[in-house]
């Protein structure tokens, strides 16, 4: 009896150990994670006639817009790749990052009501947001592959190389960066919302700092080091390089992005878990 | 018996007012004290949380140094006035927010029903919502699947299960939500006022379900203003007052303790509660007293005395669809509700601004006991400014001489039916 007396399942205190990521708890709520993703997908097309087809229409329109506008009008260098393919490659990855980031960076604010009523592993929500963005990314990717196959058949220069195999790594880095930065931002805006007004603006600036609509090779060699400090730069460049053979690829750039991603995810979870404990009192 | 909940000195502090630059200053101060290894200057325990008195600090203690243990299978009723810290305590136990100081130790899975239907999404069907809600509360998908038919049957919404929740009546969605929560099978269940919703039949079903759950050896902590259901359901009561635990013991003693703590006659013999006035409110109560036939307010009445409630309120803007409600409870069990617009449709349609003083004569069928009165305004169907158990009085029947009559003080029933027995035929001699 005395031995079991000290064995508790849950101990709630005001302070949490600093390096407790509480990932076991996320695992326990894995079914909830899947249901959240399903819910967010389902609610998009509830009560529509076209139903799940809407998931394809938006990326399709994006593709058309990029084909028409950038294929004909823009005069920015595309390193010799067909412009459509160049822009589409960049925007596919960027949209994934931007959507996952902007949605997960308001997760506290958007879910204040449910957080105040019931406890579940809070990390499940931002994770579900990133997974939901990933689903949308896959559809946009499908569009990209269709366009890509078309260009492969008409243009001998468009061929994938070995670096295309890095694709899963690129997806993980992008998802991790969006997740980590999202957690950081939502934690920092939980109490003082000032920063909140800058999120959309910041994402727009970040877009121009990333070689999405221009190749990294266009940046002056002496400034390139600053451009590559942006962890998304290597991701987008590697993707373009792997599938078209044109672009800048350095193992060191990619390693930097991967390291940066791991750091930001850990930092994000730590801060998120700390804020989460008393978040309900300050919203 | 295993201890399943143990709280050690838990306290919870809240900051009043809005969050702004003032916060940044105190946050920085706290941080600076912590860096130097000193104690947080804002965590001085001591000032009691009296909501009616303006304190000199912008920090309040919603709970102070709460210590209690709960054994496996206990049915604990949490009793206290509005703002006494009941909800805060449940929030701490369910991990929604962390205590400011102290430790809570729990054994087993905790499920909370702080508000039914949390996470219900209007666009999703009943089936999808059952799964979502169940997993939010900590079940796995498999567990929900296993219980799905039971849940739907208990809620009685089988026909609508493939229909989006937004098409449900409010009663249906509440029933479905409670049903999900009731089938959670947690070791510890925290319930907050859920029974206030739903019809009487369903409330009985819920209470029955809760006592079934406890018979299976699970622990329930139950918050309700309905002291009657607390008495019936619980075996133990905790009484909170202004953030302090003032009683911990057998449930009937706890209810009595709570009733005794309510405002009653002060030393001068008056039984009158006045409210602080706030000019910014469109309407508010000003006073309430319980008086006898000589307009003398007092706390103890004897059989045969007239009991009259005098309720004052002020209307600062003309109101429509407006009523005043008073409810009377005996030993914590509601006897009746009455609205001042029950018989008066003109007053219901429009109420001009001004000071009002209502005289409410209580009927003469009351049995002896401790009576409490709750008051509120109803505007457009919504409850506004509710004061639960705002005043109390005692009705004493010890003056009745029962020696030569069959009258017995402890008869069952909530009211004293003073009924004339008239015999029309004389007994036939045999």
């Amino acid at each position: 009896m005395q031995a079991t007396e000290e064995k508790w399942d849950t101990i709630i205190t005001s302070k949490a150990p600093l390096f407790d990521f509480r990932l076991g708890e996320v695992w326990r709520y894995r079914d909830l994670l899947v249901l959240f993703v399903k819910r967010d997908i389902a609610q998009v097309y509830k009560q529509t006639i076209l139903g799940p087809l809407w998931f394809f229409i938006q990326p399709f329109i994006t593709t058309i817009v990029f084909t028409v506008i950038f294929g004909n009008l823009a005069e920015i260098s595309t390193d010799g790749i067909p412009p459509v393919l160049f822009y589409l490659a960049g925007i596919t990855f960027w949209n994934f990052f931007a959507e996952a980031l902007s949605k997960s960076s308001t997760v506290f604010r958007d879910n204040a009501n449910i957080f105040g009523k019931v406890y579940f592993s809070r990390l499940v929500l931002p994770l579900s947001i990133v997974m939901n963005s990933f689903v949308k990314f896959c559809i946009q990717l499908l569009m990209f592959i269709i366009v890509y196959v078309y260009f492969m058949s008409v243009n001998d220069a468009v061929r994938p190389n070995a670096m295309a195999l890095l694709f899963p790594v690129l997806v993980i880095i992008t998802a991790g960066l969006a997740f980590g930065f999202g957690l950081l931002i939502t934690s920092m805006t939980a109490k003082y919302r000032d920063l909140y007004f800058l999120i959309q603006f910041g994402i727009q600036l970040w877009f121009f700092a990333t070689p999405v609509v221009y190749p990294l090779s266009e940046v002056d060699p002496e400034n390139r080091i600053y451009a590559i400090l942006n962890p998304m730069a290597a991701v987008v460049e590697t993707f373009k390089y792997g599938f078209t053979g044109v672009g800048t690829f350095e193992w060191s750039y990619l390693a930097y992005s991967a390291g940066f991603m791991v750091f930001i995810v850990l930092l994000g979870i730590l801060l998120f878990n700390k804020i989460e404990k008393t978040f309900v009192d300050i919203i | 018996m295993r201890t399943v909940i143990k709280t050690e000195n838990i306290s919870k502090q809240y900051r009043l007012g809005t969050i702004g630059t003032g916060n940044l200053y105190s946050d920085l101060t706290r941080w600076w004290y912590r860096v130097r290894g000193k104690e947080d200057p804002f965590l001085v325990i001591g000032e009691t949380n009296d909501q009616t008195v303006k304190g000199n600090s912008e920090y309040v203690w919603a709970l102070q140094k709460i210590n209690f243990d709960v054994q496996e299978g206990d049915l604990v009723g949490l009793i206290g006035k509005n703002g006494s810290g009941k909800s805060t305590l449940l929030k701490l136990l369910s991990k929604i927010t962390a205590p400011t100081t102290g430790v809570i130790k729990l054994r087993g899975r905790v499920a909370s029903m702080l508000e039914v239907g949390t996470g219900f999404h209007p666009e999703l069907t009943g089936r999808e919502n059952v799964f979502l809600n169940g997993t939010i509360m900590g079940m796995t998908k498999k567990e929900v699947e296993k219980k799905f038919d039971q849940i739907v049957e208990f809620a009685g919404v089988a026909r609508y299960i493939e229909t989006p929740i937004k098409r449900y009546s409010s009663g249906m969605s509440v029933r479905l939500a409670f049903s999900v929560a009731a089938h959670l099978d947690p070791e510890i269940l925290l319930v907050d006022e859920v029974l206030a919703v739903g019809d009487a039949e369903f409330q009985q079903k819920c209470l029955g379900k809760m006592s079934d759950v406890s018979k299976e050896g699970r622990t329930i902590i139950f918050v309700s203003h309905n002291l009657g259901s607390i008495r019936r359901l619980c075996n133990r009561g905790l009484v909170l007052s202004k953030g302090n635990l003032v009683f911990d013991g057998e449930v009937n003693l706890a209810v009595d303790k709570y009733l005794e703590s309510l405002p009653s006659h002060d030393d001068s013999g008056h039984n009158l509660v006045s409210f602080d006035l706030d000019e910014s409110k469109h309407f508010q109560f000003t006073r309430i007293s319980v008086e006898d036939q000589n307009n003398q307010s007092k706390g103890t009445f004897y059989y045969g005395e007239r009991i009259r409630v005098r309720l004052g309120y002020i209307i600062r803007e003309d109101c429509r669809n407006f009523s005043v409600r008073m409810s009377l409870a005996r030993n914590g069990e509601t006897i009746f509700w009455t609205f001042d617009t029950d018989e008066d449709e003109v007053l219901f349609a429009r109420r001009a601004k001004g000071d009002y003083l209502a005289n409410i004569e209580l009927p003469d069928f009351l049995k002896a006991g401790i009576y409490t009165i709750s008051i509120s305004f109803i505007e457009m169907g919504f409850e506004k400014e509710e004061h639960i158990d705002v005043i109390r009085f005692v009705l004493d029947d010890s003056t009745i001489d029962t020696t030569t009559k069959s009258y017995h003080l402890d008869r069952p029933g909530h009211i004293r039916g003073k009924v004339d027995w008239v015999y029309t035929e004389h007994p036939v001699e045999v």
Side-chain angles (χ1 to χ4, degrees):
Chain A
M1 188 67 207
Q2 209 56 36
T4 56
E5 199 60 45
E6 286 310 308
K7 211 180 134 278
W8 299 93
D9 295 324
T10 318
I11 292 181
I12 305 169
T13 55
S14 58
K15 295 173 208 72
L18 187 55
F19 289 101
D20 181 5
F21 293 99
R22 289 194 265 151
L23 297 183
E25 209 180 46
V26 178
W27 177 245
R28 202 158 72 68
Y29 282 96
R30 62 193 177 278
D31 286 344
L32 181 61
L33 178 62
V34 176
L35 280 170
F36 269 140
V37 176
K38 276 191 189 160
R39 176 195 72 176
D40 290 342
I41 291 171
Q43 77 182 49
V44 172
Y45 61 81
K46 282 271 172 177
Q47 217 171 349
T48 61
I49 294 165
L50 294 180
L53 214 57
W54 279 109
F55 262 95
F56 293 87
I57 291 171
Q58 208 192 346
F60 182 71
I61 292 171
T62 310
T63 311
I64 297 290
V65 166
F66 270 79
T67 315
V68 173
I69 295 183
F70 288 102
N72 300 318
L73 303 175
E75 295 282 319
I76 316 167
S77 159
T78 56
D79 264 1
I81 323 176
V84 175
L85 205 54
F86 177 85
Y87 293 122
L88 210 53
I91 209 73
T92 302
F93 257 87
W94 178 261
N95 277 355
F96 175 33
F97 175 73
E99 199 196 87
L101 174 59
S102 72
K103 285 204 176 144
S104 59
S105 60
T106 54
V107 73
F108 272 135
R109 223 184 53 136
D110 297 344
N111 297 286
N113 187 41
I114 185 167
F115 280 5
K117 296 288 184 274
V118 61
Y119 181 82
F120 53 90
S121 175
R122 307 305 200 205
L123 276 172
V124 164
L125 264 170
L127 269 177
S128 81
I129 288 168
V130 173
M131 283 167 75
N132 190 37
S133 308
F134 176 72
V135 172
K136 289 186 185 162
F137 165 74
C138 288
I139 293 163
Q140 180 72 64
L141 192 71
L142 194 71
M143 302 284 167
F144 171 78
I145 289 169
I146 293 168
V147 175
Y148 184 71
V149 169
Y150 166 74
F151 276 106
M152 262 181 31
S153 65
V154 299
N155 189 336
D156 288 340
V158 178
R159 288 286 177 274
N161 56 42
M163 293 310 148
L165 295 175
L166 283 171
F167 175 73
V169 177
L170 302 179
V171 171
I172 291 170
I173 294 177
T174 309
L177 285 172
F179 180 65
F181 275 110
L183 292 184
L184 277 183
I185 294 170
T186 195
S187 305
M188 289 193 295
T189 50
K191 190 159 189 182
Y192 303 109
R193 298 190 186 167
D194 306 62
L195 204 61
Y196 177 73
F197 298 101
L198 301 175
I199 297 173
Q200 290 306 325
F201 183 62
I203 291 176
Q204 265 170 31
L205 280 184
W206 201 338
F207 171 76
F208 291 110
T210 309
V212 176
V213 293
Y214 59 89
L216 191 62
S217 56
E218 282 287 290
V219 181
D220 295 337
E222 65 262 31
N223 287 335
R224 195 168 296 170
I225 186 69
Y226 299 115
I228 209 72
L229 278 179
N230 165 11
M232 273 306 285
V235 172
V236 174
E237 277 296 302
T238 307
F239 181 65
K240 286 179 184 167
Y241 179 78
F243 280 84
T244 63
V246 185
T248 320
F249 174 74
E250 294 281 349
W251 281 108
S252 57
Y253 292 173
L254 198 63
Y256 163 77
S257 289
F260 197 101
M261 183 273 284
V262 171
F263 171 73
I264 212 76
V265 165
L266 295 184
L267 189 68
I269 294 178
L270 281 184
L271 197 64
F272 186 84
N273 280 347
K274 188 174 157 53
I275 297 290
E276 172 264 302
K277 287 203 109 181
T278 54
F279 156 74
V280 173
D281 308 336
I282 55 172
I283 190 71
Chain B
M1 276 290 167
R2 289 197 312 164
T3 306
V4 287
I5 303 175
K6 190 180 177 67
T7 72
E8 292 167 1
N9 271 325
I10 50 170
S11 302
K12 181 71 184 173
Q13 187 190 50
Y14 283 112
R15 185 186 184 280
L16 299 176
T18 55
I19 287 175
T21 44
N23 267 78
L24 190 58
Y25 174 74
S26 50
D27 275 356
L28 289 174
T29 317
R30 280 184 163 172
W31 175 79
W32 177 233
Y33 272 72
R34 239 193 355 252
V35 166
R36 290 182 299 163
K38 290 192 178 176
E39 222 170 80
D40 192 328
F42 298 105
L43 282 187
V44 189
I45 298 190
E47 202 172 319
T48 52
N49 177 21
D50 190 339
Q51 298 187 336
T52 53
V53 180
K54 221 170 173 175
N56 47 20
S57 160
E58 53 188 331
Y59 292 92
V60 289
W61 289 96
L63 286 176
Q64 285 197 56
K65 297 197 170 176
I66 305 291
N67 288 292
F68 64 89
D69 291 354
V70 177
Q71 312 298 322
E72 192 171 23
D74 265 0
L75 277 160
V76 182
L78 205 51
I79 311 168
K81 291 183 75 172
N82 286 348
S84 59
K86 303 185 301 283
S87 298
T88 304
L89 186 55
L90 282 196
K91 276 186 178 176
L92 294 181
L93 290 172
S94 54
K95 287 218 284 194
I96 285 167
T97 181
T100 312
T101 64
V103 186
I104 301 168
K105 295 171 178 171
L106 302 167
R107 208 169 262 152
R109 193 161 69 167
V110 180
S112 54
M113 282 195 251
L114 301 200
E115 193 172 287
V116 286
T118 305
F120 264 18
H121 194 289
E123 297 288 345
L124 300 183
T125 66
R127 175 186 298 276
E128 290 165 321
N129 268 310
V130 167
F131 276 95
L132 190 63
N133 199 237
T135 43
I136 281 183
M137 302 234 212
M139 283 200 264
T140 63
K141 211 178 150 201
K142 247 199 193 109
E143 289 173 288
V144 182
E145 264 161 20
K146 222 166 67 192
K147 297 254 170 163
F148 186 80
D149 292 337
Q150 268 172 277
I151 292 172
V152 175
E153 195 204 338
F154 186 84
V157 294
R159 213 175 151 198
Y160 302 85
I161 202 65
E162 305 298 346
T163 306
I165 286 277
K166 62 180 173 181
R167 311 239 181 275
Y168 280 37
S169 72
S170 58
M172 273 159 65
S173 63
V174 164
R175 287 208 303 272
L176 186 60
F178 181 86
S179 183
V180 175
H183 288 84
L184 279 177
D185 287 352
E187 280 78 24
I188 302 168
L189 183 63
L190 311 173
V191 187
D192 189 3
E193 285 293 356
V194 275
L195 302 177
V197 288
D199 50 50
E201 189 195 350
F202 190 71
Q203 285 186 17
Q204 281 308 315
K205 217 167 151 185
C206 296
L207 283 172
K209 179 79 193 166
M210 278 164 69
S211 63
D212 287 352
V213 165
S214 79
K215 280 186 196 115
E216 293 161 25
R218 299 205 199 89
T219 310
I220 299 180
I221 295 193
F222 180 47
V223 172
S224 176
H225 282 297
N226 189 344
L227 299 174
S229 17
I230 287 202
R231 259 192 224 269
R232 275 196 299 278
L233 190 68
C234 303
N235 57 17
R236 192 171 148 207
L238 298 178
V239 183
L240 285 174
S241 173
K242 293 171 186 166
N244 294 293
L245 183 63
V246 292
F247 184 84
D248 175 359
E250 204 271 323
V251 67
N252 288 310
L253 297 177
V255 171
D256 293 346
K257 170 84 186 173
Y258 165 71
L259 292 173
E260 276 162 27
S261 74
L262 296 173
S264 179
H265 54 100
D266 54 26
D267 294 338
S268 58
H270 291 301
N271 194 4
L272 170 76
V273 177
S274 311
F275 298 91
D276 290 334
L277 291 185
D278 178 355
E279 294 291 332
S280 66
K281 285 185 180 165
H282 286 181
F283 41 79
Q284 70 179 145
F285 290 107
T286 49
R287 70 184 291 285
I288 182 168
S289 62
V290 188
E291 299 176 4
D292 63 9
Q293 58 266 47
N294 307 319
N295 296 337
Q296 190 69 46
S297 73
K298 58 187 194 180
T300 304
F301 292 83
Y302 296 97
Y303 264 15
E305 279 190 295
R306 275 171 52 194
I307 306 171
R308 190 165 55 183
V309 178
R310 278 159 79 92
L311 178 61
Y313 59 95
I314 185 164
I315 304 280
R316 296 201 179 85
E317 305 259 333
D318 288 5
C319 294
R320 289 174 187 285
N321 281 344
F322 190 90
S323 344
V324 183
R325 170 175 79 83
M326 184 198 86
S327 67
L328 185 71
R330 173 178 175 267
N331 299 342
E333 189 115 29
T334 304
I335 301 286
F336 64 82
W337 283 24
T338 171
F339 292 71
D340 66 343
T341 50
D342 280 344
E343 307 286 333
D344 190 341
E345 62 269 7
V346 179
L347 192 62
F348 180 62
R350 186 176 167 278
R351 194 171 304 228
K353 59 183 168 190
D355 274 312
Y356 289 78
L357 182 65
N359 290 285
I360 309 157
E361 195 92 33
L362 296 185
D364 64 356
F365 56 61
L366 302 181
K367 280 183 81 175
I370 302 175
Y371 284 86
T372 50
I373 292 170
S374 304
I375 48 175
S376 69
F377 295 117
I378 313 285
E379 192 190 28
M380 305 282 182
F382 289 100
E383 194 119 16
K384 302 274 174 72
E385 208 193 319
E386 188 179 22
H387 296 277
I388 290 168
D389 296 341
V390 67
I391 197 166
R392 76 174 184 122
F393 63 89
V394 175
L395 184 58
D396 192 323
D397 59 4
S398 60
T399 50
I400 298 182
D401 181 9
T402 57
T403 40
T404 55
K405 293 186 269 270
S406 67
Y407 187 83
H408 194 279
L409 300 177
D410 298 329
R411 250 182 217 167
H414 295 304
I415 58 170
R416 179 171 63 115
K418 211 180 159 210
V419 180
D420 281 334
W421 289 56
V422 180
Y423 293 95
T424 51
E425 282 178 37
H426 290 282
V428 184
E429 259 184 70
V430 283

